[in-house]
Amino acid sequence: MPTHQSLSGVSDADLLQRMIATHPERFGEPFWAFFAEHVGPRLTARPTIVDLGCGPGLVLRDLAERYPAARLYGYDVTPAMITHARQLVYRSATPTLAVHDVTAQPLPHGRGTVQLVCMSSVLHVLDEPLPVLAEIRRVLAADGTFLLNDWVRQPLASYLAWRREVMGEGEVESRRRGFRLFPMHNKYTPEDWQWLLGEAGFAIRHQTELRPAHRVFVASPI
Ligand SMILES: C[S@@+](CC[C@H](N)C(=O)[O-])C[C@H]1O[C@@H](n2cnc3c(N)ncnc32)[C@H](O)[C@@H]1O
């Protein structure tokens, strides 16, 4: 199966470094303020939280800081991501971390046992999102929450400008990477995400764009 890396031409090591470098901007104060207002109140006292496609584990580390009683799980298909997540220091017990291809294997959780599934910048990569959304819905509790954070489509010129201005890429690099990644990062409109979530049996509770080109959805099983 072609991976994100083979499709985008970005190596595992490069993706890891980019995820680490951009983490503070992607998961800064606006994100956690939104989380505290719209997700935190939906959690139980000792919630089970899964970060699907957890990358370097930094969101799990941030969650452990804010919800030290939570039982945390992180899954990612890229071994280098899980290796990085394993050597982080967590305020809570170290999360359960595993190399896992969400398109190929069921999640190792029973039906209705998870309070929160987070998925950031992962779903757009997958060829067929609906079976993965069905699996997320299976593990979520009836009052559970799916926090989807992903790219939304923008015009080519704005996308290339975003790579220069926000990612800090030069003209040549922004074009080399930008033309390659444009189809992947600009696959879904906000309306497409809304349709996908509805089709998969989720109701959208809140949504917002905290950063240009990305939309956050707080959804729950219908
Ligand atoms: C753009 S990174 C985002 C990482 C992390 N969620 C973050 O926001 O920092 C996408 C991640 O999805 C992972 N991924 C891609 N396809 C996957 C799959 N089929 N199963 C599990 N993880 C996958 C990649 O290995 C990568 O770590």
Side-chain angles (χ1 to χ4, degrees):
M1 187 196 77
T3 62
H4 177 280
Q5 288 73 10
S6 63
L7 284 170
S8 65
V10 177
S11 72
D12 289 354
D14 190 7
L15 185 64
L16 172 65
Q17 288 315 317
R18 281 183 167 253
M19 291 303 102
I20 295 169
T22 57
H23 178 81
E25 187 264 321
R26 294 185 299 122
F27 297 97
E29 206 33 56
F31 176 83
W32 290 109
F34 179 83
F35 191 100
E37 186 177 353
H38 296 295
V39 182
R42 302 176 60 83
L43 297 177
T44 53
R46 205 161 172 250
T48 295
I49 300 179
V50 172
D51 190 7
L52 209 43
C54 64
L58 298 168
V59 169
L60 289 165
R61 182 203 58 187
D62 296 350
L63 282 166
E65 197 62 41
R66 290 164 175 81
Y67 301 92
R71 286 173 283 237
L72 299 175
Y73 296 80
Y75 303 111
D76 201 287
V77 74
T78 306
M81 298 291 183
I82 294 299
T83 302
H84 186 275
R86 286 203 173 115
Q87 50 84 50
L88 292 175
V89 176
Y90 297 88
R91 185 172 166 210
S92 64
T94 302
T96 302
L97 296 160
V99 174
H100 182 99
D101 181 351
V102 72
T103 65
Q105 301 155 277
L107 290 169
H109 296 270
R111 180 176 297 277
T113 57
V114 175
Q115 272 72 51
L116 173 64
V117 174
C118 305
M119 206 178 200
S120 285
S121 303
V122 180
L123 201 55
H124 73 276
V125 174
L126 309 181
D127 288 343
E128 291 188 54
L130 284 169
V132 174
L133 289 170
E135 182 57 5
I136 292 169
R137 198 176 181 287
R138 180 188 70 79
V139 301
L140 274 177
D143 59 352
T145 304
F146 176 40
L147 181 63
L148 174 68
N149 187 355
D150 217 318
W151 289 86
V152 285
R153 193 181 300 167
Q154 60 179 317
L156 176 62
S158 336
Y159 175 72
L160 294 176
W162 178 89
R163 296 199 69 88
R164 292 192 305 274
E165 288 156 19
V166 181
M167 301 288 288
E169 292 177 349
E171 186 76 17
V172 173
E173 192 189 12
S174 70
R175 292 194 171 194
R176 186 177 60 80
R177 286 179 181 273
F179 279 104
R180 201 195 286 254
L181 290 167
F182 181 74
M184 194 177 289
H185 288 163
N186 292 277
K187 203 166 167 180
Y188 296 115
T189 62
E191 293 73 26
D192 293 334
W193 285 123
Q194 285 163 29
W195 180 85
L196 265 177
L197 287 166
E199 192 71 8
F202 288 97
I204 297 171
R205 305 288 173 201
H206 302 281
Q207 58 176 303
T208 189
E209 281 179 32
L210 300 170
R211 309 162 55 234
H214 292 79
R215 186 165 287 222
V216 185
F217 296 93
V218 177
S220 57
I222 296 169

